[in-house]
Amino acid sequence: MCRMIGYSGHDRAKLRELADCLVKVAEDDPLKGWSHPHGWGMVALTENRLIYHRSAKPIFDPSERSTLIDLVDSFRGT
């Protein structure tokens, strides 16, 4: 089952926290008792650009988690 988050705001630290929670639940869902070892993707709309990324690797793969954090940290504007 897919997991999603939605966020609107300016607090990048809060967004990083939510992204980390998404990674953790994909790796070990405490309600379902299994992981989501499939791909992941994101779409983000900032004041001055549209960001789109998708991957066939699981979001909890260390390189993919790093990509997610890098994308979150790249957000500029509102």
Side-chain angles (χ1 to χ4, degrees):
M1 175 186 350
C2 293
R3 290 128 178 101
M4 293 188 282
I5 60 172
Y7 179 79
S8 176
H10 304 280
D11 188 343
R12 193 167 299 139
K14 178 55 81 177
L15 183 55
R16 281 187 86 175
E17 180 183 344
L18 290 171
D20 195 48
C21 288
L22 183 66
V23 171
K24 288 177 183 175
V25 76
E27 186 170 21
D28 184 19
D29 189 325
L31 298 177
K32 298 287 185 183
W34 42 265
S35 71
H36 181 75
H38 309 291
W40 69 281
M42 70 172 289
V43 174
L45 180 61
T46 70
E47 186 175 86
N48 54 3
R49 69 183 188 148
L50 175 70
I51 301 164
Y52 171 79
H53 177 83
R54 71 180 191 174
S55 173
K57 295 180 182 177
I59 196 170
F60 52 83
D61 179 277
S63 66
E64 296 300 312
R65 183 187 180 285
S66 178
T67 297
L68 173 62
I69 296 304
D70 289 346
L71 286 167
V72 167
D73 287 346
S74 78
F75 296 167
R76 300 284 184 266
T78 54

